Amino acid sequence: MKTLVAFFSAESGKTAGVAKKLASEIEADLFEIKPTKPYDKADLNYLNPMSRCNREKVGKKDVPVEGRVQNFEDYDTVILGFPIWYGVAPNVVNTFCKEYNWSGKKVAAFATSGGSGIGKTAEKLRPYVQGATSVNAKRVSTADEVKNWLENL
Protein backbone atom coordinates (compact mmCIF):
# COMPACT_ATOMS: atom_id res chain seq x y z
CA MET A 1 0.00 0.00 0.00
CA LYS A 2 1.49 3.32 -1.08
CA THR A 3 0.09 6.67 0.02
CA LEU A 4 0.51 10.17 -1.35
CA VAL A 5 -0.31 13.39 0.48
CA ALA A 6 -0.87 16.14 -2.09
CA PHE A 7 -1.67 19.60 -0.81
CA PHE A 8 -2.33 23.17 -1.81
CA SER A 9 -1.59 25.78 0.79
CA ALA A 10 -2.50 29.45 0.48
CA GLU A 11 -1.37 32.46 2.46
CA SER A 12 -1.21 31.17 6.04
CA GLY A 13 0.65 27.92 5.37
CA LYS A 14 -1.62 26.01 7.75
CA THR A 15 -2.47 23.32 5.19
CA ALA A 16 1.23 22.85 4.38
CA GLY A 17 2.04 22.34 8.04
CA VAL A 18 -0.68 19.75 8.53
CA ALA A 19 0.19 17.94 5.27
CA LYS A 20 3.92 17.75 5.99
CA LYS A 21 3.42 16.48 9.53
CA LEU A 22 0.84 13.94 8.38
CA ALA A 23 3.06 12.63 5.56
CA SER A 24 5.94 12.22 7.99
CA GLU A 25 3.82 10.42 10.59
CA ILE A 26 2.20 7.98 8.15
CA GLU A 27 5.33 7.60 6.00
CA ALA A 28 3.61 8.87 2.86
CA ASP A 29 5.09 10.65 -0.11
CA LEU A 30 4.42 14.39 -0.33
CA PHE A 31 3.57 16.63 -3.28
CA GLU A 32 2.80 20.34 -3.11
CA ILE A 33 0.15 21.50 -5.57
CA LYS A 34 1.48 24.87 -6.76
CA PRO A 35 -0.14 27.09 -9.35
CA THR A 36 2.31 28.05 -12.11
CA LYS A 37 1.51 31.67 -11.23
CA PRO A 38 1.68 31.94 -7.42
CA TYR A 39 -1.09 33.73 -5.55
CA ASP A 40 -0.31 36.98 -3.80
CA LYS A 41 -2.32 38.62 -1.02
CA ALA A 42 -4.51 40.62 -3.45
CA ASP A 43 -5.27 37.45 -5.44
CA LEU A 44 -6.66 35.82 -2.30
CA ASN A 45 -8.85 38.74 -1.17
CA TYR A 46 -12.25 37.05 -1.48
CA LEU A 47 -13.95 40.31 -0.40
CA ASN A 48 -12.90 41.89 -3.70
CA PRO A 49 -15.18 40.55 -6.47
CA MET A 50 -12.40 41.19 -9.01
CA SER A 51 -9.70 39.27 -7.12
CA ARG A 52 -8.11 36.32 -8.86
CA CYS A 53 -9.66 33.71 -6.56
CA ASN A 54 -13.14 35.10 -7.27
CA ARG A 55 -12.59 35.31 -11.04
CA GLU A 56 -11.30 31.72 -11.11
CA LYS A 57 -14.19 30.33 -9.08
CA VAL A 58 -16.97 32.26 -10.84
CA GLY A 59 -15.43 31.58 -14.26
CA LYS A 60 -14.85 27.90 -13.38
CA LYS A 61 -11.32 28.35 -14.68
CA ASP A 62 -8.58 25.75 -14.64
CA VAL A 63 -5.48 26.91 -12.78
CA PRO A 64 -2.31 25.42 -14.30
CA VAL A 65 -0.23 23.40 -11.85
CA GLU A 66 3.55 23.37 -11.62
CA GLY A 67 5.12 19.90 -11.89
CA ARG A 68 3.65 16.41 -11.86
CA VAL A 69 3.55 13.49 -9.45
CA GLN A 70 5.96 10.85 -10.67
CA ASN A 71 4.57 7.29 -10.87
CA PHE A 72 1.09 8.36 -9.76
CA GLU A 73 -0.20 4.94 -10.79
CA ASP A 74 1.78 3.38 -7.90
CA TYR A 75 -0.39 5.04 -5.24
CA ASP A 76 -3.53 3.33 -3.98
CA THR A 77 -4.45 6.08 -1.52
CA VAL A 78 -4.24 9.82 -2.16
CA ILE A 79 -4.85 12.30 0.63
CA LEU A 80 -5.63 15.78 -0.65
CA GLY A 81 -5.22 18.81 1.62
CA PHE A 82 -6.41 22.34 0.91
CA PRO A 83 -8.17 25.35 2.40
CA ILE A 84 -11.89 25.55 1.67
CA TRP A 85 -12.80 28.19 -0.91
CA TYR A 86 -16.49 28.88 -1.40
CA GLY A 87 -17.42 25.63 0.36
CA VAL A 88 -15.28 23.42 -1.92
CA ALA A 89 -11.72 22.75 -3.09
CA PRO A 90 -9.90 25.62 -4.83
CA ASN A 91 -9.81 25.39 -8.63
CA VAL A 92 -6.07 24.66 -8.57
CA VAL A 93 -6.83 21.39 -6.73
CA ASN A 94 -9.49 20.44 -9.28
CA THR A 95 -7.05 21.15 -12.13
CA PHE A 96 -4.44 18.97 -10.40
CA CYS A 97 -6.94 16.13 -10.08
CA LYS A 98 -7.95 16.30 -13.74
CA GLU A 99 -4.37 15.45 -14.76
CA TYR A 100 -4.37 11.90 -13.37
CA ASN A 101 -6.10 8.52 -13.63
CA TRP A 102 -7.89 7.88 -10.32
CA SER A 103 -9.18 4.38 -11.11
CA GLY A 104 -9.08 2.15 -8.06
CA LYS A 105 -7.68 4.78 -5.70
CA LYS A 106 -9.06 5.80 -2.33
CA VAL A 107 -9.30 9.56 -1.94
CA ALA A 108 -9.47 11.36 1.38
CA ALA A 109 -9.58 15.15 1.38
CA PHE A 110 -8.94 17.33 4.39
CA ALA A 111 -9.59 21.03 4.63
CA THR A 112 -7.91 23.26 7.17
CA SER A 113 -9.98 26.40 6.94
CA GLY A 114 -13.40 27.73 6.35
CA GLY A 115 -15.90 28.70 8.95
CA SER A 116 -18.51 27.11 6.71
CA GLY A 117 -17.26 23.59 7.41
CA ILE A 118 -16.63 20.91 4.83
CA GLY A 119 -19.98 21.30 3.07
CA LYS A 120 -20.32 19.27 -0.12
CA THR A 121 -16.58 19.05 -0.71
CA ALA A 122 -16.49 15.27 -1.28
CA GLU A 123 -19.49 15.41 -3.60
CA LYS A 124 -18.05 18.30 -5.63
CA LEU A 125 -14.61 16.63 -5.81
CA ARG A 126 -15.92 13.31 -7.22
CA PRO A 127 -16.15 14.44 -10.87
CA TYR A 128 -12.44 15.36 -10.79
CA VAL A 129 -11.35 11.98 -9.38
CA GLN A 130 -13.50 9.74 -11.56
CA GLY A 131 -12.82 6.06 -11.00
CA ALA A 132 -11.80 6.47 -7.36
CA THR A 133 -13.22 3.70 -5.19
CA SER A 134 -14.12 6.15 -2.42
CA VAL A 135 -14.04 9.89 -1.82
CA ASN A 136 -14.31 11.29 1.70
CA ALA A 137 -13.72 14.75 3.14
CA LYS A 138 -13.34 16.29 6.58
CA ARG A 139 -12.48 19.70 8.02
CA VAL A 140 -9.56 19.46 10.45
CA SER A 141 -7.11 21.60 12.38
CA THR A 142 -4.21 19.22 13.01
CA ALA A 143 -2.37 16.28 11.47
CA ASP A 144 -3.49 14.13 14.42
CA GLU A 145 -7.14 14.82 13.53
CA VAL A 146 -6.48 13.69 9.96
CA LYS A 147 -4.65 10.58 11.16
CA ASN A 148 -7.49 9.59 13.52
CA TRP A 149 -10.08 10.21 10.81
CA LEU A 150 -8.16 8.12 8.27
CA GLU A 151 -7.93 5.20 10.73
CA ASN A 152 -11.75 5.19 10.96
CA LEU A 153 -12.47 5.29 7.22
Side-chain angles (χ1 to χ4, degrees):
M1 182 166 142
K2 196 167 179 184
T3 301
L4 172 69
V5 175
F7 71 94
F8 165 70
S9 195
E11 194 174 22
S12 74
K14 184 171 185 174
T15 303
V18 171
K20 289 173 183 178
K21 184 174 182 199
L22 175 67
S24 174
E25 289 181 6
I26 66 172
E27 298 180 357
D29 292 337
L30 187 67
F31 180 83
E32 183 174 0
I33 301 168
K34 293 183 198 175
T36 55
K37 179 185 176 207
Y39 291 97
D40 63 26
K41 189 172 183 137
D43 292 334
L44 299 171
N45 182 2
Y46 64 91
L47 297 174
N48 175 355
M50 297 309 296
S51 69
R52 179 177 165 196
C53 67
N54 283 324
R55 289 190 326 268
E56 287 173 354
K57 191 49 82 177
V58 171
K60 299 179 181 167
K61 294 182 178 188
D62 282 346
V63 178
V65 176
E66 186 178 296
R68 287 192 53 83
V69 175
Q70 298 299 310
N71 303 313
F72 187 78
E73 65 279 359
D74 293 346
Y75 296 101
D76 55 357
T77 301
V78 179
I79 303 164
L80 295 169
F82 47 82
I84 288 287
W85 286 6
Y86 310 94
V88 295
N91 288 21
V92 68
V93 173
N94 296 337
T95 304
F96 166 81
C97 291
K98 288 168 43 174
E99 298 295 319
Y100 299 95
N101 178 351
W102 295 86
S103 296
K105 297 187 187 318
K106 294 178 189 173
V107 177
F110 70 87
T112 55
S113 66
S116 60
I118 199 70
K120 295 183 178 184
T121 300
E123 178 184 324
K124 299 287 186 178
L125 191 58
R126 278 189 188 97
Y128 299 100
V129 295
Q130 289 182 3
T133 59
S134 64
V135 181
N136 294 284
K138 181 170 179 64
R139 185 176 175 280
V140 300
S141 296
T142 67
D144 288 337
E145 283 181 79
V146 180
K147 216 167 107 177
N148 291 337
W149 170 60
L150 292 171
E151 289 171 359
N152 293 312
L153 282 180

